[in-house]
Amino acid sequence: MSNEFQGIVPAMITPLDEHEEIDEPGLRDLTEILINKGVHGLFALGTNGEFFSLTDDEKVRVASIVKDQAAGRVPVFAGTGGYTTRGVIELNRRMAEEVGVNGLSIITPYFNGATQAELIMHYERIAEATDLPILLYTIPAKAGVTLTIPSVATLSEIPNIRAIKDSGGDFDRLVQLIRLRRDDFAVFTGTDSMILWTLMAGGDGAVAATTNAVPDVVMTIWNAWQAGDFETAREAQEKLRPLRNAFALGTMPSVLKTAAALLGMPAGPARSPVQALEPEALEKLKQAIKVYDRVER
């Protein structure tokens, strides 16, 4: 991944059917809608894509569907992160050989609190074992650990580690990361409330989950910014706030998937143990998203 892939890359949800199985027609439909809205790439199997609830075989299937439907129109990146280094390496091999993805997004190992030395070793070994470009992915609130700025600086020197998606929501940290960006190392925010501010600070774009529900709003931020229309970009950025604030109404990604479905996008339920929103939360969500139009396909 490099700066030529800058822009808006949706962190795709994984549409499921009523039995919590992969909804292939829904996933193809979602892929097609997002490409038609002008996104610059697709990121399957991230946190909002429920990577943690899918088997490796299911992950390969999801990535294969997205890659096939994209048909080379935009690059496709697959989330392959896991706790063990060898497990990530094996899934990366399958993604390269069986799917042919354009790049890999690799979350920090979670749950057990790896040290910085262990994190660096983890990514070094993974990078050595693949020729695909790698996007580092940090989300400390979920993973319980993050890469420090010096660790990112070290890893950014590895030729095929080409970008970072930072979902910590810390703007000062993001600015420090942006100081590390080069033509061969891009910096993306994974916090949708910071898309415009990331662009203003010199970042490359966003891996944005809200694109699943309100693609027109998210793309307006990018398109208006590129056109020099700051006021329109700022208005679009502020328009994301009701949806972002609503995320607290349920367990991830139940709110996003429900909002997407209500706004006409393919979604389906989240996989258990995540459950549908309680009636009161659902009503609050419906009120919050009244500011958005249904997605025109």
Side-chain angles (χ1 to χ4, degrees):
M1 189 145 190
S2 69
N3 288 0
E4 67 192 68
F5 294 118
Q6 67 182 345
I8 302 299
V9 180
M12 298 176 69
I13 56 176
T14 303
L16 302 177
D17 63 22
E18 64 272 20
H19 304 295
E20 299 181 11
E21 299 295 334
I22 295 166
D23 174 12
E24 180 170 341
L27 182 55
R28 288 185 179 277
D29 195 15
L30 177 62
T31 300
E32 195 66 24
I33 294 168
L34 292 172
I35 291 174
N36 288 339
K37 293 297 181 180
V39 302
H40 303 94
L42 295 167
F43 168 35
L45 303 166
T47 309
N48 281 285
E50 300 175 84
F51 81 90
F52 43 80
S53 72
L54 301 172
T55 66
D56 279 2
D57 285 345
E58 287 177 317
K59 291 175 184 178
V60 170
R61 184 179 173 214
V62 166
S64 295
I65 293 168
V66 175
K67 185 70 165 61
D68 180 69
Q69 189 65 35
R73 289 174 290 173
V74 296
V76 173
F77 306 96
T80 57
Y83 181 70
T84 67
T85 307
R86 65 169 61 193
V88 176
I89 289 172
E90 173 57 22
L91 184 54
N92 289 347
R93 182 192 63 78
R94 293 188 64 186
M95 288 294 182
E97 295 178 2
E98 299 177 37
V99 184
V101 296
N102 301 100
L104 306 163
S105 173
I106 301 176
I107 194 171
T108 52
Y110 37 81
F111 180 74
N112 202 28
T115 67
Q116 292 300 303
E118 289 167 338
L119 291 173
I120 290 172
M121 177 275 297
H122 176 73
Y123 283 107
E124 286 176 339
R125 290 186 181 177
I126 289 166
E128 288 171 0
T130 184
D131 293 327
L132 288 171
I134 291 170
L135 179 145
L136 306 172
Y137 176 18
T138 59
I139 181 169
K142 297 296 182 183
V145 67
T146 195
L147 290 162
T148 64
I149 301 298
S151 293
V152 176
T154 296
L155 293 172
S156 74
E157 297 297 330
I158 297 173
N160 60 328
I161 293 183
R162 304 289 290 278
I164 184 169
K165 171 195 175 185
D166 186 79
S167 297
D170 181 338
F171 187 67
D172 180 65
R173 171 183 160 86
L174 190 65
V175 170
Q176 293 180 65
L177 288 172
I178 289 170
R179 290 175 181 164
L180 300 177
R181 69 172 298 283
R182 306 182 302 269
D183 287 346
D184 62 352
F185 187 75
V187 178
F188 289 78
T189 184
T191 304
D192 293 18
S193 59
M194 292 167 49
I195 298 172
L196 178 58
W197 320 122
T198 299
L199 297 174
M200 292 179 66
D204 295 279
V207 181
T210 53
T211 318
N212 291 282
V214 288
D216 293 309
V217 177
V218 179
M219 291 310 301
T220 295
I221 299 172
W222 173 265
N223 292 331
W225 169 254
Q226 290 297 107
D229 184 354
F230 173 76
E231 187 59 29
T232 298
R234 186 191 63 78
E235 289 173 357
Q237 178 67 77
E238 285 301 307
K239 197 171 183 180
L240 283 183
R241 192 176 299 278
L243 178 56
R244 285 279 304 174
N245 289 346
F247 282 2
L249 293 172
T251 303
M252 184 187 68
S254 60
V255 174
L256 178 58
K257 294 188 95 169
T258 303
L262 290 170
L263 292 167
M265 296 287 279
R271 184 166 277 183
S272 300
V274 178
Q275 295 295 291
L277 298 182
E278 295 291 337
E280 182 179 354
L282 178 59
E283 185 57 36
K284 288 181 179 178
L285 176 60
K286 288 179 177 178
Q287 293 300 315
I289 64 175
K290 280 185 176 180
V291 298
Y292 306 116
D293 297 324
R294 282 182 63 86
V295 177
E296 293 186 10
R297 304 193 182 193

